[in-house]
Amino acid sequence: MALSCLSGIIALVLLVAIADSAHGLCSLGGSWRSEHGTLMTMRLGVNGTITGTYQSSSKAPTSVLIGYQQQGDNPTFGVTVKNSAAPTITMLAGQCYTKPDGEPTLRTTWILREPVGNLTEDWKSSRFGTASFSMNDNVNGEAAGQWTGGQSQIHRTPKPAEGKVRS
């Protein structure tokens, strides 16, 4: 009796572990497309390193990205993109999730910094927002599925009152 109870418990634990691994793990490696058409490809290295490419639209040149991920079922990550077409830097921080239908998704917050002529123009140097990415099964173009989340948000740092410079 005790042996059959123990084998039943072991079977239940294995079943839960298999179900969790099938639905809870999200891997950052691969090709991702945002709701705006941005294509981001990430390769995972040792110690959580990320390398890859970033293309903001189909006509934009491809830029290099580097970053890190924290390990886990729904890993957090951060990447920096050095724009190859303009003197800007974009940083994205986000997390990978697995939706109830089993599809992975990335939710990110980004900040883009562009150079300005002087300190009084600093207020207009940064834009920030949010974006969601879906796994892109077709490396030549269209995303595998339509993005179904909320709207992406884009913000610009507000201009300071006349005569005041932020420190």
Side-chain angles (χ1 to χ4, degrees):
M1 176 88 168
L3 185 56
S4 72
C5 184
L6 181 60
S7 63
I9 291 172
I10 291 172
L12 181 61
V13 168
L14 287 173
L15 184 61
V16 169
I18 291 169
D20 281 349
S21 67
H23 296 292
L25 297 178
C26 191
S27 175
L28 295 170
S31 180
W32 300 87
R33 188 169 297 276
S34 78
E35 68 270 27
H36 299 294
T38 297
L39 181 63
M40 180 167 57
T41 303
M42 294 193 280
R43 290 177 300 282
L44 306 179
V46 295
N47 299 323
T49 58
I50 299 171
T51 58
T53 59
Y54 187 91
Q55 187 177 18
S56 60
S57 73
S58 62
K59 296 182 181 184
T62 301
S63 299
V64 173
L65 71 78
I66 58 170
Y68 291 95
Q69 74 164 340
Q70 294 289 359
Q71 303 296 327
D73 288 352
N74 296 306
T76 56
F77 66 96
V79 295
T80 300
V81 178
K82 180 181 180 271
N83 191 326
S84 60
T88 63
I89 295 287
T90 303
M91 290 160 282
L92 296 93
Q95 188 166 2
C96 187
Y97 297 100
T98 302
K99 295 190 246 179
D101 65 4
E103 289 295 317
T105 186
L106 303 180
R107 298 298 167 110
T108 66
T109 301
W110 56 267
I111 183 166
L112 179 143
R113 179 72 183 208
E114 62 185 321
V116 293
N118 56 55
L119 186 57
T120 59
E121 295 179 336
D122 186 66
W123 67 270
K124 64 180 179 180
S125 63
S126 298
R127 288 184 292 257
F128 60 96
T130 60
S132 294
F133 291 79
S134 296
M135 194 57 116
N136 186 44
D137 291 336
N138 180 356
V139 287
N140 294 323
E142 298 305 312
Q146 285 291 341
W147 179 72
T148 56
Q151 292 193 355
S152 177
Q153 300 292 315
I154 301 173
H155 307 278
R156 187 180 274 279
T157 306
K159 185 175 183 177
E162 193 63 38
K164 297 193 178 192
V165 176
R166 290 192 179 145
S167 54

